[in-house]
Amino acid sequence: MADGMEQERLAAAVAKNRKVVLRGYIERVPREDDMELVDGGAVELRVPEGVGGGPTVLVKNLYLSCDPYMRGRMQDFIHGSYIPPFKPGSPIEGFGVGRVVHSTHPGFGAGDVVAGMTGWEDYSLITEPEQLRKIEPSDIPLSYHLGLLGMPGFTAYVGFYEICSPKKGEFVFISAASGAVGQIVGQLAKMHGCYVVGSAGSNQKVELLKEKFGFHAAFNYKEEPDLTAALKRYFPEGIDIYFENVGGPMLDAVLLNMRTHGRIAVCGMVSQLGVTSHVGIHNLFSLISKRIDMKGFIQSDYHHLFPQFVDDITKHYRDGKIVYVEDLSVGLESGPAAFVGLFSGRNVGKQVVCVSED
Amino acid sequence: MADGMEQERLAAAVAKNRKVVLRGYIERVPREDDMELVDGGAVELRVPEGVGGGPTVLVKNLYLSCDPYMRGRMQDFIHGSYIPPFKPGSPIEGFGVGRVVHSTHPGFGAGDVVAGMTGWEDYSLITEPEQLRKIEPSDIPLSYHLGLLGMPGFTAYVGFYEICSPKKGEFVFISAASGAVGQIVGQLAKMHGCYVVGSAGSNQKVELLKEKFGFHAAFNYKEEPDLTAALKRYFPEGIDIYFENVGGPMLDAVLLNMRTHGRIAVCGMVSQLGVTSHVGIHNLFSLISKRIDMKGFIQSDYHHLFPQFVDDITKHYRDGKIVYVEDLSVGLESGPAAFVGLFSGRNVGKQVVCVSED
């Protein structure tokens, strides 16, 4: 009977819902005014009857993830894209952590904390709850499930172990190294016995790489007029493994500094996203002379490794062998600026938006 | 005693030796006048005393191979090159088939036919005879040991089976498909049960691909204003395997037409050799969205497979399952023009220079 009364109470409860919507498709680097915070009116704090045609979960969003790949969803569908575009006028979608308010799915109940695809709004109706994963209470900050233990962490894990075929003692270079993915790749590579150098776009980030993440060396690419010469300085014997996060001139410089039988894991090219005329890569002939294996990958192809990833990284974290740095932006209204900041490197560490703390 | 007399006779015998020498280093597409036919004076038809400091073989060159990689040896040493440059004023070096005139190496005797690195001249002293391989008399034309059963054939064999991971029913695209390597890749792919399309630079070559080599389809890239659209037409479901021989705009068009988990074997980029400012590749983001594995390779890394390659291809040839087309140019003096022709696609099939028939 208490349950029935509780349901009754929820049926009456409403809350204000705000949304960050995409104004229209773009084909350039995103700007804040490509998105708009709108008043979504009042939302009933329960799953409406008949919505979605199946079990549905209403979540209150706590943390939202800002990831570079989202830029690809801000343009109209292009051939070969692996993910459908956002809908103009509808909320931005992305990974998030939320608390279940009400659920018609037997696997989730009010109060559960979940991570998965959600909307950039205060409350979201998740009509495909199978994609949510429940987060058990622990000592790990909730927002880390968007980074260290989320898609970026899994990208680092899969990319390093499955794509790079690392061997102890090898020379590893990571671009955008203080970012959501790079900081983890670097720490995994160091644990693996590799020599690790990272590049980043500010001296503050370079310090972070060396002091906080323990990279053997790091440099500010903006202060290097000749990237090829810079890499030659940091890798006099060449690079065995390049974890490619940026594309453009850095990739060209790396190609000239690779060692024979080197591997390049390609997952980023952030710098090229949203640039209609992509900067050309000129040194691919190195692929032949150095017998390089350059491989693109998407973490979701390796779904079967996710449980092992969570176990491994959780253990490393608890053992103090891996740390994680986030750039936490507060308030849903700060979302557009936080997201746009990714493309100028404004964020220091993984960019997260805190919508609510509980 | 007869042997002694024969040696005596050879000691006295001399022959005219001509050489094709490199005039000086270049950093552009080769021209005929970058090389020069010079009178090398008379050569004694025996290995001189004390030459080379070890066992040496004097060969009379019969066939010389023209290969695109040789362009790389016409420029001064550049970082990352995998083979040393030619010496200006000295003969061009390359693969050849020759007949042994005299040998101080126990493994080779006068009259043996050998294949290996030799000079562009009538007679060459081979001071590293270990790199020569003896060719047993057979029904296979001697010049085929520079193509079908030589480095180009082995490149095709290694590239297709070791790099492309082919599966029956996959869609295979080959650029420069009528060339020394491409024609073999296409025939191997067809034997493997793949759907095979090739591109070439003339209608004559396109006919050859379809009529002689049995490609399922072929097109003249020079008649296609939009390579991306052309590939879409020939591969409505996309390309699983691209055997990359040319680089440049064709590679960019292919990247947009690859299927998920496609493979690109990179061994050529002929069109980019000798171009100081290489044409940029713009569509590498496809590596990520399509999870493409793009891998450079050099046949010599797979030396252990050479005997199996010779057995397999010889069998296919004798069974009539594989054919080979050569462009035979007659006379050492025709060498420079024959070599230069590679870069404008003048050759139809594997370019060989016949210095002498016996």
Side-chain angles (χ1 to χ4, degrees):
Chain A
M1 276 293 124
D3 269 9
M5 279 173 67
E6 177 68 5
Q7 291 277 350
E8 201 86 351
R9 195 187 64 75
L10 279 171
V14 293
K16 204 165 115 82
N17 198 19
R18 299 165 304 155
K19 301 165 183 284
V20 172
V21 303
L22 177 70
R23 279 194 159 138
Y25 291 128
I26 58 166
E27 294 194 358
R28 48 164 169 70
V29 174
R31 293 193 310 240
E32 269 189 69
D33 62 3
D34 294 326
M35 292 156 276
E36 188 179 13
L37 184 75
V38 299
D39 182 351
V43 61
E44 263 195 76
L45 292 183
R46 54 166 294 156
V47 175
E49 296 283 331
V51 79
T56 297
V57 175
L58 177 70
V59 300
K60 181 182 188 194
N61 292 305
L62 304 178
Y63 296 96
L64 299 173
S65 183
C66 295
D67 296 296
Y69 82 87
M70 295 162 71
R71 156 68 189 92
R73 304 192 66 186
M74 296 175 87
Q75 67 186 52
D76 207 355
F77 185 77
I78 49 166
H79 177 72
S81 181
Y82 57 95
I83 187 161
F86 295 138
K87 286 195 198 79
S90 288
I92 302 289
E93 289 169 23
F95 291 106
V97 169
R99 191 177 301 278
V100 174
V101 175
H102 180 221
S103 165
T104 60
H105 187 288
F108 301 98
D112 284 350
V113 175
V114 292
M117 270 289 156
T118 188
W120 279 33
E121 53 196 342
D122 291 300
Y123 295 90
S124 295
L125 275 171
I126 315 286
T127 54
E128 292 176 348
E130 302 72 25
Q131 53 96 4
L132 296 175
R133 62 177 198 279
K134 209 185 287 189
I135 297 173
E136 302 302 335
S138 85
D139 53 329
I140 294 175
L142 287 185
S143 57
Y144 278 24
H145 294 277
L146 302 178
L148 181 64
L149 290 168
M151 182 273 285
F154 192 47
T155 300
Y157 184 88
V158 162
F160 185 65
Y161 295 117
E162 301 296 310
I163 306 292
C164 294
S165 311
K167 285 186 279 293
K168 198 180 161 179
E170 286 193 319
F171 301 110
V172 175
F173 177 57
I174 302 157
S175 53
S178 69
V181 177
Q183 54 177 295
I184 303 175
V185 178
Q187 294 177 89
L188 294 178
K190 230 193 130 190
M191 266 189 262
H192 203 75
C194 298
Y195 179 80
V196 184
V197 180
S199 68
S202 76
N203 293 338
Q204 180 195 4
K205 293 178 184 177
V206 167
E207 279 313 294
L208 201 61
L209 290 174
K210 292 192 285 193
E211 303 306 324
K212 183 97 182 172
F213 303 127
F215 282 49
H216 293 97
F219 65 92
N220 180 350
Y221 73 88
K222 290 181 181 168
E223 292 186 348
E224 297 291 348
D226 181 342
L227 291 174
T228 306
L231 288 170
K232 180 89 192 155
R233 223 162 57 230
Y234 286 99
F235 295 98
E237 297 177 62
I239 300 166
D240 292 298
I241 291 174
Y242 174 45
F243 204 95
E244 156 60 39
N245 284 310
V246 297
M250 184 62 95
L251 175 56
D252 255 340
V254 167
L255 282 166
L256 296 180
N257 279 283
M258 289 296 286
R259 293 180 93 182
T260 302
H261 298 300
R263 284 85 67 200
I264 300 180
V266 188
C267 83
M269 299 195 165
V270 178
S271 77
Q272 301 314 301
L273 278 168
V275 183
T276 303
S277 168
H278 299 264
V279 173
I281 299 298
H282 295 79
N283 298 332
L284 286 180
F285 56 85
S286 288
L287 295 184
I288 309 171
S289 55
K290 317 278 187 62
R291 296 83 144 170
I292 295 167
D293 192 354
M294 186 169 175
K295 203 166 173 177
F297 73 100
I298 295 177
Q299 45 82 30
S300 53
D301 287 344
Y302 299 84
H303 204 70
H304 59 288
L305 298 176
F306 199 84
Q308 189 193 325
F309 151 74
V310 171
D311 286 355
D312 287 357
I313 299 292
T314 302
K315 185 175 185 315
H316 292 322
Y317 176 72
R318 293 208 169 115
D319 291 349
K321 288 190 182 160
I322 202 162
V323 294
Y324 202 58
V325 170
E326 288 182 327
D327 197 326
L328 206 64
S329 167
V330 178
L332 180 63
E333 64 283 3
S334 72
F339 175 67
V340 165
L342 291 178
F343 300 91
S344 59
R346 208 190 61 171
N347 57 307
V348 178
K350 163 69 190 165
Q351 183 67 57
V352 175
V353 176
C354 175
V355 183
S356 171
E357 283 187 26
D358 59 356
Chain B
M1 275 296 122
D3 269 8
M5 279 174 67
E6 175 68 5
Q7 292 278 348
E8 200 86 354
R9 195 187 65 74
L10 280 172
V14 292
K16 205 164 113 83
N17 198 20
R18 299 165 304 156
K19 300 166 184 286
V20 172
V21 303
L22 178 70
R23 279 192 159 140
Y25 291 128
I26 57 166
E27 295 194 358
R28 48 164 170 70
V29 174
R31 293 194 309 240
E32 267 188 71
D33 62 3
D34 294 327
M35 292 156 278
E36 188 180 12
L37 184 75
V38 300
D39 182 350
V43 62
E44 264 196 74
L45 292 183
R46 54 167 294 157
V47 175
E49 295 284 330
V51 80
T56 297
V57 175
L58 177 70
V59 300
K60 180 182 189 194
N61 291 306
L62 304 179
Y63 296 96
L64 298 173
S65 183
C66 295
D67 296 297
Y69 83 88
M70 296 163 71
R71 156 67 190 92
R73 303 192 67 184
M74 296 175 88
Q75 67 185 51
D76 206 354
F77 185 77
I78 49 164
H79 176 74
S81 180
Y82 57 95
I83 187 162
F86 295 138
K87 286 194 199 76
S90 288
I92 303 290
E93 288 169 22
F95 292 106
V97 169
R99 191 178 301 279
V100 175
V101 176
H102 180 219
S103 165
T104 60
H105 187 290
F108 301 99
D112 283 351
V113 176
V114 293
M117 271 289 155
T118 188
W120 280 33
E121 53 197 342
D122 290 301
Y123 294 89
S124 294
L125 274 170
I126 314 287
T127 54
E128 292 176 348
E130 303 72 25
Q131 52 97 2
L132 295 174
R133 62 176 199 279
K134 209 186 287 189
I135 297 174
E136 303 302 336
S138 85
D139 53 328
I140 294 174
L142 286 184
S143 57
Y144 278 24
H145 294 277
L146 301 179
L148 181 65
L149 289 169
M151 183 274 285
F154 193 46
T155 300
Y157 184 87
V158 162
F160 185 66
Y161 293 117
E162 301 297 309
I163 306 293
C164 293
S165 312
K167 285 188 278 293
K168 197 180 161 177
E170 286 193 319
F171 300 109
V172 175
F173 177 57
I174 302 159
S175 53
S178 69
V181 177
Q183 54 177 294
I184 304 176
V185 177
Q187 293 178 88
L188 294 179
K190 229 193 132 189
M191 265 188 262
H192 203 75
C194 298
Y195 180 80
V196 184
V197 179
S199 68
S202 76
N203 293 339
Q204 180 195 4
K205 293 178 185 178
V206 167
E207 279 312 295
L208 202 60
L209 291 174
K210 291 191 286 192
E211 302 307 324
K212 182 98 180 172
F213 303 127
F215 282 49
H216 293 96
F219 64 92
N220 180 350
Y221 72 89
K222 290 181 180 168
E223 292 186 348
E224 295 291 346
D226 181 342
L227 292 174
T228 306
L231 288 170
K232 182 88 193 155
R233 222 163 55 229
Y234 285 99
F235 295 98
E237 296 178 62
I239 300 165
D240 292 297
I241 290 175
Y242 174 44
F243 204 94
E244 157 57 41
N245 284 311
V246 296
M250 184 63 93
L251 174 55
D252 256 339
V254 167
L255 283 165
L256 297 180
N257 279 284
M258 290 295 287
R259 293 180 92 181
T260 302
H261 298 298
R263 285 86 64 201
I264 300 180
V266 188
C267 84
M269 297 194 168
V270 178
S271 78
Q272 302 312 301
L273 279 167
V275 183
T276 304
S277 167
H278 299 265
V279 173
I281 298 298
H282 295 79
N283 297 333
L284 287 179
F285 56 85
S286 287
L287 294 184
I288 309 172
S289 55
K290 316 277 187 63
R291 297 85 141 167
I292 295 167
D293 192 353
M294 185 170 176
K295 203 167 174 177
F297 73 100
I298 295 178
Q299 45 81 28
S300 53
D301 288 345
Y302 299 82
H303 204 70
H304 59 288
L305 298 177
F306 199 84
Q308 190 193 325
F309 151 73
V310 172
D311 286 355
D312 287 356
I313 300 293
T314 302
K315 185 174 186 316
H316 292 323
Y317 177 72
R318 292 207 170 115
D319 292 348
K321 288 191 182 159
I322 201 164
V323 295
Y324 201 59
V325 170
E326 290 182 326
D327 196 325
L328 205 65
S329 166
V330 178
L332 181 63
E333 66 282 3
S334 73
F339 175 67
V340 164
L342 291 178
F343 300 91
S344 59
R346 208 190 61 172
N347 57 307
V348 178
K350 163 68 189 164
Q351 182 68 58
V352 175
V353 175
C354 175
V355 183
S356 171
E357 282 188 28
D358 59 355

